[in-house]
Coordinates of all heavy atoms in Angstrom, one line a residue:
M1 N -18.1 5.8 -22.7 CA -17.5 7.0 -22.0 C -17.7 6.7 -20.5 O -18.7 6.2 -20.0 CB -18.3 8.2 -22.4 CG -17.9 9.4 -21.6 SD -16.6 10.3 -22.3 CE -16.3 11.6 -21.1
H2 N -16.7 7.0 -19.8 CA -16.7 6.9 -18.3 C -17.6 7.9 -17.6 O -17.6 9.1 -18.1 CB -15.3 6.9 -17.7 CG -14.4 5.7 -18.1 ND1 -14.5 4.6 -17.4 CD2 -13.6 5.5 -19.1 CE1 -13.6 3.8 -18.0 NE2 -13.1 4.3 -19.0
D3 N -18.2 7.5 -16.5 CA -18.9 8.5 -15.8 C -17.9 9.1 -14.8 O -17.3 8.5 -13.9 CB -20.0 7.9 -14.9 CG -20.7 8.7 -14.0 OD1 -20.5 10.0 -14.1 OD2 -21.5 8.3 -13.2
L4 N -17.5 10.4 -15.0 CA -16.4 11.1 -14.3 C -16.9 11.4 -12.9 O -16.1 11.7 -12.0 CB -16.1 12.3 -15.0 CG -15.4 12.2 -16.4 CD1 -15.1 13.5 -17.0 CD2 -14.4 11.2 -16.4
G5 N -18.2 11.1 -12.5 CA -18.6 11.3 -11.2 C -18.2 10.1 -10.3 O -18.2 10.2 -9.1
T6 N -17.9 9.0 -11.0 CA -17.5 7.9 -10.2 C -16.0 7.9 -9.9 O -15.4 8.9 -10.0 CB -17.8 6.6 -11.0 OG1 -17.2 6.4 -12.2 CG2 -19.4 6.5 -11.2
G7 N -15.4 6.8 -9.8 CA -13.9 6.7 -9.4 C -13.0 7.0 -10.6 O -11.7 7.2 -10.3
S8 N -13.4 7.0 -11.8 CA -12.5 7.1 -13.0 C -11.7 8.4 -12.9 O -10.5 8.5 -13.0 CB -13.2 6.9 -14.3 OG -13.7 5.7 -14.4
G9 N -12.5 9.5 -12.8 CA -11.9 10.8 -12.8 C -10.9 11.0 -11.6 O -9.8 11.6 -11.8
L10 N -11.3 10.6 -10.5 CA -10.5 10.7 -9.3 C -9.2 9.8 -9.5 O -8.1 10.3 -9.2 CB -11.2 10.3 -8.0 CG -10.4 10.5 -6.7 CD1 -9.9 11.9 -6.5 CD2 -11.3 10.0 -5.6
G11 N -9.4 8.7 -10.0 CA -8.3 7.7 -10.2 C -7.3 8.4 -11.2 O -6.1 8.2 -11.0
W12 N -7.8 8.9 -12.3 CA -6.9 9.4 -13.3 C -6.2 10.7 -12.7 O -5.0 10.9 -12.9 CB -7.7 10.0 -14.5 CG -8.4 8.8 -15.3 CD1 -8.0 7.6 -15.4 CD2 -9.5 9.0 -16.1 NE1 -8.8 6.9 -16.2 CE2 -9.8 7.8 -16.6 CE3 -10.4 10.1 -16.4 CZ2 -10.9 7.5 -17.5 CZ3 -11.4 9.9 -17.2 CH2 -11.7 8.6 -17.7
T13 N -6.8 11.4 -11.9 CA -6.3 12.6 -11.3 C -5.1 12.2 -10.3 O -4.0 12.7 -10.3 CB -7.2 13.5 -10.5 OG1 -8.3 13.9 -11.4 CG2 -6.6 14.6 -9.8
L14 N -5.4 11.1 -9.5 CA -4.3 10.6 -8.6 C -3.2 10.0 -9.4 O -2.0 10.2 -9.0 CB -5.0 9.6 -7.7 CG -5.9 10.1 -6.6 CD1 -6.6 9.0 -5.9 CD2 -5.3 11.1 -5.8
L15 N -3.4 9.3 -10.5 CA -2.4 8.7 -11.3 C -1.5 9.8 -11.9 O -0.2 9.8 -11.9 CB -2.9 7.9 -12.4 CG -3.3 6.5 -12.0 CD1 -4.1 5.7 -13.1 CD2 -2.1 5.7 -11.7
G16 N -2.1 10.9 -12.3 CA -1.3 12.0 -12.9 C -0.5 12.7 -11.8 O 0.7 13.1 -12.0
A17 N -1.1 12.8 -10.5 CA -0.3 13.4 -9.5 C 0.9 12.5 -9.1 O 2.0 13.0 -8.8 CB -1.2 13.6 -8.2
V18 N 0.7 11.2 -9.1 CA 1.8 10.3 -8.9 C 2.8 10.4 -9.9 O 4.1 10.3 -9.6 CB 1.3 8.8 -8.7 CG1 2.4 7.8 -8.7 CG2 0.5 8.6 -7.5
G19 N 2.5 10.6 -11.2 CA 3.4 10.7 -12.3 C 4.2 12.0 -12.1 O 5.4 12.1 -12.3
G20 N 3.5 13.1 -11.6 CA 4.3 14.4 -11.3 C 5.2 14.3 -10.2 O 6.2 14.9 -10.2
G21 N 4.8 13.5 -9.1 CA 5.6 13.3 -8.0 C 6.9 12.5 -8.4 O 8.0 12.8 -8.0
A22 N 6.7 11.5 -9.3 CA 7.9 10.7 -9.8 C 8.8 11.6 -10.5 O 10.0 11.5 -10.3 CB 7.4 9.6 -10.7
K23 N 8.3 12.5 -11.3 CA 9.2 13.5 -12.0 C 10.0 14.3 -11.1 O 11.2 14.5 -11.3 CB 8.4 14.3 -13.1 CG 9.3 15.2 -13.9 CD 8.6 15.8 -14.9 CE 9.5 16.6 -15.9 NZ 8.8 17.1 -17.1
V24 N 9.4 14.8 -10.0 CA 10.1 15.6 -9.1 C 11.2 14.8 -8.5 O 12.4 15.3 -8.3 CB 9.2 16.2 -8.0 CG1 9.9 16.8 -6.8 CG2 8.2 17.3 -8.7
F25 N 10.9 13.6 -8.0 CA 12.0 12.7 -7.4 C 13.1 12.4 -8.3 O 14.2 12.4 -7.9 CB 11.4 11.5 -6.9 CG 10.5 11.7 -5.6 CD1 9.2 11.3 -5.6 CD2 11.0 12.4 -4.5 CE1 8.4 11.5 -4.4 CE2 10.3 12.6 -3.3 CZ 9.0 12.2 -3.3
V26 N 12.8 12.3 -9.6 CA 13.8 12.0 -10.6 C 14.7 13.2 -10.7 O 15.9 13.0 -10.8 CB 13.3 11.5 -12.0 CG1 14.3 11.6 -13.1 CG2 12.6 10.2 -11.9
Q27 N 14.1 14.3 -10.7 CA 14.9 15.6 -10.8 C 15.7 15.8 -9.6 O 16.8 16.3 -9.7 CB 13.9 16.8 -11.1 CG 13.3 16.8 -12.5 CD 12.2 17.8 -12.6 OE1 11.6 18.3 -11.6 NE2 11.9 18.2 -13.8
L28 N 15.1 15.5 -8.5 CA 15.9 15.7 -7.2 C 17.1 14.7 -7.1 O 18.2 15.1 -6.6 CB 15.0 15.5 -6.0 CG 13.9 16.6 -5.7 CD1 13.0 16.1 -4.6 CD2 14.6 17.9 -5.4
L29 N 17.0 13.6 -7.6 CA 18.1 12.6 -7.6 C 19.2 13.0 -8.5 O 20.4 12.6 -8.3 CB 17.5 11.2 -8.0 CG 16.7 10.4 -7.1 CD1 16.1 9.2 -7.7 CD2 17.5 10.1 -5.8
A30 N 18.9 13.9 -9.5 CA 20.0 14.3 -10.3 C 20.8 15.5 -9.8 O 21.8 15.8 -10.3 CB 19.4 14.7 -11.7
L31 N 20.3 16.1 -8.7 CA 21.0 17.3 -8.2 C 22.1 16.8 -7.2 O 22.0 15.7 -6.5 CB 19.9 18.1 -7.3 CG 18.8 18.7 -8.0 CD1 17.9 19.4 -7.0 CD2 19.3 19.8 -9.0
E32 N 23.1 17.6 -7.2 CA 24.3 17.2 -6.3 C 23.9 17.6 -4.9 O 24.3 16.9 -3.9 CB 25.5 18.0 -6.7 CG 26.2 17.4 -7.9 CD 27.5 18.2 -8.2 OE1 28.2 18.7 -7.3 OE2 27.9 18.2 -9.5
K33 N 23.2 18.7 -4.7 CA 22.9 19.2 -3.3 C 21.3 19.4 -3.3 O 20.8 20.1 -4.1 CB 23.5 20.5 -3.0 CG 23.3 21.0 -1.5 CD 24.0 22.2 -1.3 CE 24.0 22.6 0.2 NZ 22.9 23.5 0.5
L34 N 20.7 18.7 -2.3 CA 19.2 18.8 -2.3 C 18.8 20.1 -1.6 O 19.5 20.7 -0.7 CB 18.6 17.7 -1.3 CG 18.6 16.3 -1.9 CD1 18.2 15.3 -1.0 CD2 17.9 16.3 -3.2
P35 N 17.6 20.8 -2.1 CA 17.2 22.0 -1.5 C 16.6 21.6 -0.1 O 16.6 20.4 0.3 CB 16.0 22.4 -2.4 CG 15.8 21.3 -3.4 CD 16.9 20.3 -3.3
S36 N 16.2 22.6 0.6 CA 15.6 22.4 2.0 C 14.3 21.5 1.9 O 13.7 21.4 0.8 CB 15.3 23.7 2.6 OG 14.2 24.3 1.9
K37 N 14.0 20.9 3.0 CA 12.8 20.1 3.1 C 11.6 20.9 2.8 O 10.6 20.2 2.1 CB 12.7 19.4 4.4 CG 13.8 18.3 4.7 CD 13.6 17.7 6.1 CE 14.7 16.7 6.4 NZ 14.7 16.2 7.7
S38 N 11.5 22.0 3.2 CA 10.2 22.9 2.9 C 10.1 23.2 1.5 O 9.1 23.2 0.9 CB 10.2 24.1 3.8 OG 11.2 24.9 3.4
K39 N 11.3 23.4 0.8 CA 11.2 23.7 -0.6 C 10.9 22.5 -1.4 O 10.1 22.6 -2.4 CB 12.6 24.2 -1.1 CG 12.6 24.7 -2.5 CD 13.8 25.5 -2.9 CE 13.7 26.0 -4.4 NZ 14.7 26.9 -4.8
I40 N 11.3 21.3 -1.0 CA 11.0 20.1 -1.6 C 9.5 19.8 -1.5 O 8.8 19.4 -2.4 CB 11.8 18.9 -1.0 CG1 13.3 19.1 -1.5 CG2 11.3 17.5 -1.5 CD1 14.3 18.0 -0.9
F41 N 9.0 20.1 -0.2 CA 7.6 19.9 0.0 C 6.7 20.7 -0.9 O 5.8 20.2 -1.5 CB 7.3 20.2 1.5 CG 5.8 20.2 1.8 CD1 5.1 19.0 2.0 CD2 5.1 21.3 1.9 CE1 3.8 19.0 2.2 CE2 3.7 21.4 2.1 CZ 3.0 20.2 2.3
W42 N 7.0 22.0 -1.0 CA 6.2 22.9 -1.9 C 6.4 22.6 -3.3 O 5.4 22.7 -4.1 CB 6.5 24.3 -1.5 CG 6.0 24.7 -0.2 CD1 6.6 25.0 0.9 CD2 4.6 24.7 0.2 NE1 5.7 25.2 2.0 CE2 4.5 25.1 1.6 CE3 3.3 24.5 -0.5 CZ2 3.3 25.2 2.3 CZ3 2.2 24.6 0.2 CH2 2.1 24.9 1.5
L43 N 7.6 22.2 -3.7 CA 7.8 21.9 -5.1 C 7.0 20.6 -5.5 O 6.3 20.6 -6.6 CB 9.3 21.7 -5.4 CG 9.7 21.2 -6.8 CD1 9.4 22.3 -7.8 CD2 11.2 20.8 -6.7
L44 N 7.0 19.6 -4.6 CA 6.3 18.4 -4.8 C 4.7 18.7 -4.8 O 4.0 18.2 -5.6 CB 6.6 17.4 -3.7 CG 6.1 16.0 -3.8 CD1 6.6 15.3 -5.1 CD2 6.5 15.2 -2.7
T45 N 4.3 19.5 -3.9 CA 2.9 19.8 -3.8 C 2.3 20.5 -5.0 O 1.3 20.1 -5.6 CB 2.6 20.6 -2.5 OG1 3.0 19.9 -1.4 CG2 1.1 21.0 -2.4
A46 N 3.1 21.5 -5.5 CA 2.6 22.3 -6.6 C 2.7 21.5 -7.9 O 1.8 21.4 -8.7 CB 3.5 23.5 -6.8
N47 N 3.8 20.6 -8.1 CA 3.9 19.8 -9.2 C 2.8 18.7 -9.2 O 2.2 18.4 -10.3 CB 5.3 19.1 -9.2 CG 5.7 18.6 -10.6 OD1 4.8 18.2 -11.4 ND2 7.0 18.6 -10.9
M48 N 2.5 18.1 -8.0 CA 1.4 17.1 -8.0 C 0.1 17.7 -8.3 O -0.7 17.0 -8.9 CB 1.5 16.4 -6.7 CG 2.7 15.5 -6.6 SD 2.8 14.6 -5.0 CE 1.6 13.3 -5.3
F49 N -0.2 19.0 -8.0 CA -1.4 19.5 -8.2 C -1.6 19.8 -9.7 O -2.6 19.4 -10.4 CB -1.6 20.9 -7.5 CG -2.8 21.7 -7.8 CD1 -4.0 21.3 -7.1 CD2 -2.9 22.7 -8.7 CE1 -5.2 21.9 -7.3 CE2 -4.1 23.3 -8.9 CZ -5.3 22.9 -8.2
V50 N -0.6 20.3 -10.4 CA -0.6 20.6 -11.8 C -0.7 19.3 -12.6 O -1.4 19.1 -13.5 CB 0.6 21.4 -12.2 CG1 0.7 21.5 -13.8 CG2 0.5 22.8 -11.7
S51 N 0.1 18.3 -12.2 CA 0.2 17.0 -12.7 C -1.1 16.2 -12.7 O -1.5 15.5 -13.5 CB 1.4 16.2 -12.2 OG 2.6 16.8 -12.7
G52 N -1.8 16.3 -11.6 CA -3.1 15.8 -11.4 C -4.1 16.3 -12.4 O -4.8 15.5 -13.0
F53 N -4.1 17.6 -12.6 CA -5.0 18.2 -13.6 C -4.6 17.7 -15.1 O -5.4 17.4 -15.8 CB -4.9 19.7 -13.5 CG -5.8 20.4 -14.5 CD1 -7.2 20.3 -14.4 CD2 -5.2 21.3 -15.4 CE1 -8.0 20.9 -15.3 CE2 -6.0 22.0 -16.3 CZ -7.4 21.8 -16.3
S54 N -3.2 17.7 -15.3 CA -2.8 17.3 -16.6 C -3.1 15.7 -16.8 O -3.6 15.3 -18.0 CB -1.2 17.4 -16.7 OG -0.9 18.6 -16.6
G55 N -2.9 15.0 -15.8 CA -3.3 13.5 -16.0 C -4.8 13.3 -16.2 O -5.2 12.5 -17.1
F56 N -5.6 14.1 -15.5 CA -7.1 14.0 -15.7 C -7.4 14.4 -17.2 O -8.2 13.6 -17.9 CB -7.8 15.0 -14.8 CG -9.3 15.0 -15.0 CD1 -10.1 14.0 -14.5 CD2 -9.9 16.1 -15.7 CE1 -11.5 14.0 -14.7 CE2 -11.2 16.1 -15.8 CZ -12.1 15.1 -15.4
L57 N -6.9 15.5 -17.6 CA -7.2 15.9 -19.0 C -6.6 14.9 -20.1 O -7.4 14.6 -21.0 CB -6.6 17.3 -19.3 CG -7.2 18.5 -18.6 CD1 -6.5 19.8 -19.0 CD2 -8.6 18.6 -19.0
G58 N -5.5 14.4 -19.8 CA -4.9 13.4 -20.7 C -5.8 12.2 -20.8 O -6.1 11.7 -21.9
A59 N -6.3 11.7 -19.7 CA -7.1 10.5 -19.7 C -8.5 10.8 -20.3 O -9.1 10.0 -21.1 CB -7.4 10.0 -18.3
V60 N -9.0 12.0 -20.1 CA -10.3 12.4 -20.7 C -10.2 12.4 -22.2 O -11.1 11.9 -23.0 CB -10.9 13.7 -20.2 CG1 -12.0 14.2 -21.0 CG2 -11.3 13.5 -18.7
L61 N -9.2 13.0 -22.7 CA -8.9 13.1 -24.1 C -8.6 11.6 -24.6 O -9.1 11.3 -25.8 CB -7.6 13.9 -24.5 CG -7.9 15.4 -24.3 CD1 -6.6 16.1 -24.6 CD2 -8.9 15.9 -25.3
A62 N -8.0 10.7 -23.9 CA -7.7 9.4 -24.4 C -9.1 8.6 -24.5 O -9.3 7.8 -25.4 CB -6.9 8.7 -23.4
T63 N -10.1 8.9 -23.7 CA -11.4 8.3 -23.9 C -12.2 8.6 -25.1 O -12.9 7.8 -25.6 CB -12.4 8.7 -22.6 OG1 -12.7 10.0 -22.7 CG2 -11.8 8.3 -21.3
K64 N -11.7 9.7 -25.7 CA -12.3 10.1 -27.0 C -11.7 9.4 -28.2 O -12.2 9.3 -29.2 CB -12.2 11.6 -27.2 CG -13.0 12.5 -26.2 CD -14.5 12.1 -26.4 CE -15.3 13.0 -25.5 NZ -16.8 12.7 -25.6
M65 N -10.5 8.9 -27.8 CA -9.7 8.2 -28.9 C -9.7 6.7 -29.0 O -9.6 6.1 -29.9 CB -8.2 8.6 -28.9 CG -8.0 10.1 -29.1 SD -6.3 10.5 -28.8 CE -6.4 12.3 -28.5
T66 N -10.0 6.2 -27.7 CA -10.1 4.7 -27.6 C -10.9 4.3 -26.4 O -11.1 5.1 -25.5 CB -8.6 4.1 -27.4 OG1 -8.7 2.7 -27.3 CG2 -7.9 4.6 -26.2
S67 N -11.5 3.1 -26.5 CA -12.2 2.6 -25.3 C -11.4 1.7 -24.5 O -11.9 1.1 -23.5 CB -13.4 1.8 -25.9 OG -13.1 0.7 -26.6
D68 N -10.1 1.6 -24.7 CA -9.3 0.6 -23.9 C -8.9 1.4 -22.6 O -8.1 2.4 -22.5 CB -8.0 0.4 -24.8 CG -7.0 -0.6 -24.0 OD1 -7.3 -0.9 -22.9 OD2 -6.1 -1.0 -24.7
D69 N -9.4 0.8 -21.5 CA -9.2 1.4 -20.2 C -7.6 1.4 -19.9 O -7.3 2.4 -19.1 CB -9.9 0.7 -19.1 CG -11.5 0.9 -19.2 OD1 -11.8 1.9 -19.8 OD2 -12.2 0.1 -18.6
N70 N -6.9 0.4 -20.3 CA -5.5 0.5 -20.0 C -4.8 1.7 -20.6 O -3.9 2.3 -19.9 CB -4.8 -0.8 -20.6 CG -5.3 -2.0 -19.9 OD1 -5.5 -2.1 -18.7 ND2 -5.5 -3.1 -20.6
L71 N -5.2 2.1 -21.8 CA -4.6 3.3 -22.4 C -5.1 4.6 -21.7 O -4.3 5.6 -21.6 CB -5.0 3.4 -23.8 CG -4.3 2.3 -24.7 CD1 -4.7 2.4 -26.2 CD2 -2.7 2.4 -24.6
H72 N -6.2 4.6 -21.1 CA -6.7 5.7 -20.3 C -5.8 5.9 -19.1 O -5.4 7.0 -18.7 CB -8.1 5.6 -19.9 CG -9.1 5.3 -20.9 ND1 -10.4 4.9 -20.8 CD2 -9.0 5.6 -22.3 CE1 -11.0 4.8 -21.9 NE2 -10.2 5.1 -22.8
V73 N -5.4 4.8 -18.5 CA -4.5 4.9 -17.3 C -3.1 5.3 -17.7 O -2.5 6.1 -17.0 CB -4.5 3.4 -16.6 CG1 -3.5 3.4 -15.6 CG2 -5.9 3.1 -16.0
V74 N -2.7 4.7 -18.8 CA -1.3 5.2 -19.3 C -1.3 6.6 -19.6 O -0.4 7.4 -19.3 CB -0.9 4.3 -20.5 CG1 0.3 4.9 -21.2 CG2 -0.7 2.9 -20.1
A75 N -2.4 7.1 -20.3 CA -2.5 8.6 -20.6 C -2.5 9.4 -19.5 O -1.8 10.5 -19.3 CB -3.8 8.9 -21.5
A76 N -3.1 9.0 -18.3 CA -3.1 9.8 -17.1 C -1.8 9.9 -16.5 O -1.3 11.0 -16.1 CB -4.2 9.1 -16.0
G77 N -1.1 8.8 -16.4 CA 0.2 8.7 -15.8 C 1.2 9.5 -16.7 O 2.1 10.3 -16.1
V78 N 1.3 9.3 -18.0 CA 2.2 10.0 -18.8 C 2.0 11.6 -18.8 O 2.9 12.3 -18.7 CB 2.2 9.4 -20.3 CG1 3.0 10.3 -21.2 CG2 2.7 8.0 -20.2
A79 N 0.7 11.9 -19.0 CA 0.4 13.4 -19.0 C 0.7 14.0 -17.6 O 1.2 15.1 -17.6 CB -1.1 13.5 -19.3
G80 N 0.5 13.2 -16.6 CA 0.9 13.7 -15.3 C 2.4 13.9 -15.1 O 2.9 14.8 -14.6
Y81 N 3.2 12.9 -15.7 CA 4.6 13.1 -15.6 C 5.1 14.3 -16.5 O 5.9 15.0 -16.1 CB 5.3 11.7 -16.2 CG 6.7 11.8 -16.1 CD1 7.4 11.4 -14.9 CD2 7.5 12.1 -17.2 CE1 8.8 11.4 -14.9 CE2 8.9 12.2 -17.1 CZ 9.6 11.8 -15.9 OH 10.9 11.8 -15.8
M82 N 4.4 14.5 -17.6 CA 4.7 15.7 -18.4 C 4.3 17.0 -17.8 O 5.0 18.0 -18.0 CB 4.0 15.6 -19.8 CG 4.5 14.4 -20.6 SD 3.6 14.2 -22.2 CE 3.9 15.7 -23.0
G83 N 3.2 16.9 -17.0 CA 2.8 18.2 -16.3 C 2.5 19.3 -17.2 O 1.6 19.3 -18.1
V84 N 3.2 20.5 -17.1 CA 2.9 21.7 -17.8 C 3.1 21.5 -19.3 O 2.4 22.0 -20.1 CB 3.8 22.9 -17.3 CG1 3.7 24.1 -18.2 CG2 3.4 23.2 -15.8
A85 N 4.1 20.7 -19.7 CA 4.3 20.4 -21.1 C 3.1 19.7 -21.7 O 2.7 20.0 -22.8 CB 5.5 19.5 -21.3
A86 N 2.4 18.9 -21.0 CA 1.2 18.2 -21.5 C 0.1 19.3 -21.7 O -0.6 19.3 -22.7 CB 0.7 17.1 -20.6
L87 N 0.0 20.2 -20.7 CA -1.1 21.2 -20.8 C -0.7 22.1 -22.0 O -1.7 22.6 -22.8 CB -1.1 22.1 -19.6 CG -1.5 21.4 -18.3 CD1 -1.5 22.3 -17.1 CD2 -3.0 20.9 -18.5
D88 N 0.5 22.4 -22.3 CA 0.9 23.2 -23.5 C 0.5 22.4 -24.7 O 0.0 23.1 -25.7 CB 2.4 23.5 -23.5 CG 2.8 24.5 -22.4 OD1 1.9 25.3 -21.9 OD2 4.0 24.5 -22.0
L89 N 0.7 21.2 -24.8 CA 0.3 20.3 -26.0 C -1.2 20.3 -26.2 O -1.7 20.5 -27.3 CB 0.9 18.9 -25.9 CG 2.3 18.7 -26.1 CD1 2.7 17.2 -25.8 CD2 2.7 19.0 -27.5
F90 N -1.9 20.2 -25.1 CA -3.4 20.2 -25.1 C -3.9 21.6 -25.7 O -4.7 21.6 -26.4 CB -4.0 19.9 -23.8 CG -3.7 18.5 -23.2 CD1 -3.6 18.3 -21.9 CD2 -3.3 17.4 -24.1 CE1 -3.3 17.1 -21.3 CE2 -3.0 16.2 -23.5 CZ -3.0 16.0 -22.1
A91 N -3.3 22.6 -25.2 CA -3.7 24.0 -25.5 C -3.4 24.2 -27.0 O -4.2 24.8 -27.8 CB -3.0 25.0 -24.7
K92 N -2.3 23.7 -27.5 CA -1.9 23.9 -29.0 C -2.9 23.1 -29.8 O -3.4 23.6 -30.8 CB -0.5 23.4 -29.1 CG -0.1 23.5 -30.6 CD 1.4 23.0 -30.8 CE 1.8 23.1 -32.2 NZ 3.0 22.5 -32.5
W93 N -3.2 21.8 -29.4 CA -4.1 21.0 -30.1 C -5.5 21.7 -30.2 O -6.1 21.8 -31.3 CB -4.3 19.6 -29.5 CG -5.1 18.8 -30.3 CD1 -4.7 17.9 -31.3 CD2 -6.5 18.5 -30.1 NE1 -5.8 17.2 -31.8 CE2 -6.9 17.6 -31.1 CE3 -7.5 19.0 -29.2 CZ2 -8.2 17.1 -31.2 CZ3 -8.8 18.6 -29.5 CH2 -9.1 17.6 -30.4
F94 N -6.0 22.3 -29.1 CA -7.3 22.9 -29.1 C -7.3 24.1 -30.0 O -8.3 24.5 -30.7 CB -7.8 23.2 -27.6 CG -8.4 22.1 -26.8 CD1 -7.7 21.6 -25.8 CD2 -9.5 21.6 -27.3 CE1 -8.2 20.5 -25.1 CE2 -10.2 20.5 -26.6 CZ -9.4 19.9 -25.5
K95 N -6.2 24.9 -29.9 CA -6.2 26.1 -30.8 C -6.3 25.7 -32.3 O -6.8 26.5 -33.1 CB -4.9 26.8 -30.6 CG -4.9 27.9 -29.5 CD -3.5 28.5 -29.3 CE -3.6 29.9 -29.8 NZ -2.3 30.6 -29.5
E96 N -5.6 24.6 -32.6 CA -5.6 24.1 -34.0 C -7.0 23.6 -34.5 O -7.3 23.6 -35.6 CB -4.5 23.2 -34.2 CG -3.1 23.8 -34.2 CD -2.0 22.7 -34.1 OE1 -2.3 21.5 -34.2 OE2 -0.9 23.1 -34.2
H97 N -7.7 22.8 -33.5 CA -8.9 22.1 -33.9 C -10.2 22.7 -33.6 O -11.2 22.3 -34.1 CB -8.8 20.7 -33.3 CG -7.7 19.9 -33.9 ND1 -6.4 19.9 -33.4 CD2 -7.8 19.0 -34.9 CE1 -5.7 19.0 -34.3 NE2 -6.5 18.5 -35.1
I98 N -10.1 23.7 -32.7 CA -11.4 24.4 -32.3 C -11.3 25.9 -32.7 O -10.4 26.5 -32.2 CB -11.7 24.1 -30.8 CG1 -11.8 22.8 -30.5 CG2 -13.0 24.9 -30.4 CD1 -12.0 22.4 -29.0
K99 N -12.2 26.3 -33.5 CA -12.1 27.7 -33.9 C -13.3 28.5 -33.4 O -14.3 28.1 -33.3 CB -12.2 27.7 -35.5 CG -11.1 26.9 -36.0 CD -10.3 27.5 -37.1 CE -9.3 26.6 -37.6 NZ -8.0 26.9 -37.6

């Protein structure tokens, strides 16, 4: 198990935030007309905050399933990209498995 007090936890959080930022940029590229710069800034900031948390939780859960550090990194990025959807999945899993 990783010591979350070292760089692993922070690294996973940052990877999740980058995944969330990537999702925002993909969504913005699909728009015909971009919103204002301030709206983009706040959307990006909020999404990266939530995605950082999602990425951290995804990586922590991955440490319980495998010792492969590469999969921990992938879990952080994918859960970060998923953002709120990942949190919903984690909440559903916890409801089913923890009574």
Side-chain angles (χ1 to χ4, degrees):
M1 168 94 183
H2 289 275
D3 178 11
L4 301 181
T6 62
S8 294
L10 179 60
W12 295 334
T13 302
L14 292 175
L15 279 169
V18 169
K23 185 171 187 173
V24 169
F25 287 125
V26 167
Q27 291 172 336
L28 289 172
L29 288 173
L31 297 177
E32 284 187 29
K33 183 176 186 274
L34 290 177
S36 69
K37 289 179 183 177
S38 65
K39 187 169 184 173
I40 291 173
F41 172 78
W42 289 112
L43 177 66
L44 188 60
T45 301
N47 198 328
M48 289 179 76
F49 180 79
V50 170
S51 291
F53 182 62
S54 298
F56 175 78
L57 289 181
V60 168
L61 288 173
T63 65
K64 295 298 185 184
M65 297 175 201
T66 179
S67 61
D68 186 348
D69 289 337
N70 295 320
L71 291 179
H72 303 164
V73 169
V74 169
V78 170
Y81 184 85
M82 291 175 65
V84 173
L87 293 177
D88 290 339
L89 284 173
F90 299 153
K92 181 181 177 188
W93 186 87
F94 278 112
K95 268 178 114 172
E96 292 172 356
H97 290 87
I98 298 175
K99 306 227 184 240

